[in-house]
Amino acid sequence: KSQETVSSLSGAASQKIKVSEDPVAGFISQHDDDFPTLAFPSISTADFQFNLEKASNIIVEKVEEFIDKLGNARLVLVDLTHGSKILSSVRAKAGEKNIDSKRFFTFVGDITQLYSKGGLRCNVIANAANWRLKPGGGGVNAAIFNAGGPALEAATTDRAKSLLPGNALVVPLPSISPLYSKEGVTHVIHVLGPNMNPHRPNCLDNDYTKGCKVLRDAYSSLFEGFLSIAK
Ligand code: AR6
């Protein structure tokens, strides 16, 4: 049984805090939806053409590595469609490893509309960025820069002009950004993954020894960036 109670914050950031009465514990506990939550897309597996099987192994491996450091925080892998191969592969592998499904789960939806369209509160979202940290280029990068508006672009440029493969950049979102006011996103973490697409910069030419290392580094940087905010 869950009820909405206090509205403690003011202005655009105002969010109702949900509490649920836990009949077993017998006290009022915080609702799951108020825990720090990182929504992230599968880095490198669409435009950058990274092998899905290898990517899903790395996602599960990295989630497993970080999950005990999360406390109450949650990780959510997001993709646009129910037919998403990366979501089903990761779900199956996470299930085999008995990863706690309250702290890590998959979700179908547009990462820029998780709260307004999907009812899922995620205070942090990750972007599969390009090395120039610029809008456009299609995919999730175009969607996030569109939704974040000029405020996201300015806040990003303030922090860095470029990113190396395997690295992540945490950008606090100004409250004037629609992503903040409509979706409750307080931070965007840009991540640059390995590229296997010959038509994009820094193509690794199918070198999966290097590619897997870079993808592992990318998820480590992403999850460490999230932990630095969540704590
Ligand atoms: N919401 C959730 N997931 C999405 C969305 C969305 N709005 N859009 C795409 N995905 P991609 P990459 C999923 O291609 O492979 C850009 O041009 C998608 O189905 O966005 O790392 C950048 O500028 C897939 O599972 O990223 C870079 O140059 C995942 O997000 C380049 O693409 C990543 O797909 C990066 O390529």
Side-chain angles (χ1 to χ4, degrees), residues 41-49 78-80 86 109-112 128-130 134 136-141 143 200:
S42 166
I43 306 298
S44 291
T45 54
D47 192 45
F48 278 178
Q49 299 178 3
V78 178
D79 201 357
L80 286 168
I86 192 80
D110 181 337
I111 202 164
T112 65
N130 53 58
K134 287 292 180 202
V140 76
N141 183 71
R200 297 285 177 270

Side-chain angles (χ1 to χ4, degrees), residues 183-196:
E183 305 294 332
V185 174
T186 62
H187 295 75
V188 171
I189 306 181
H190 298 293
V191 188
L192 184 61
N195 171 36
M196 295 296 177

